[in-house]
Amino acid sequence: YLPLEKLEYTTDQRNSVGAPFYFEFKAAGISAKLNCQVTEWAENEVFAFEMTSGNLMKSYSERWTLEASPPGSRFTFAEQWELSYGIVGRALAPLVARASGAIVENMLTELKGLAEA
């Protein structure tokens, strides 16, 4: 995950639905610091989480899936977010969406290169 700066579990619970963790990433020069909780977990199939609290974001979630697909595998990444700060957040949303889209495209390109290497 290219913009990742820090990820740490906040309890001994890991690799299961409900596991809490702290997540920091930097995008478009802005650092997001989020407390999150795993919402889906099936090893080698799906990983999803949502924000429980944090800065900059009113809400944030991601879902990663991996599935068999001829002739190999299909990886899917999806994120949903809403910025805080009311009208200012809504005004900044298109800029953040473009920056986020570029990060995701770079991330997927790098992942594809690693998988094909």
Side-chain angles (χ1 to χ4, degrees), residues 49-92:
F49 67 89
E50 63 184 26
M51 178 186 101
T52 56
S53 65
N55 72 332
L56 303 176
M57 304 286 192
K58 186 174 181 180
S59 65
Y60 186 84
S61 64
E62 289 185 12
R63 187 168 194 266
W64 306 59
T65 61
L66 184 63
E67 57 190 317
S69 173
S73 299
R74 179 185 308 269
F75 173 78
T76 305
F77 171 83
E79 69 177 351
Q80 293 183 324
W81 49 267
E82 183 179 351
L83 295 174
S84 297
Y85 309 117
I87 195 165
V88 173
R90 285 190 297 277
L92 291 174

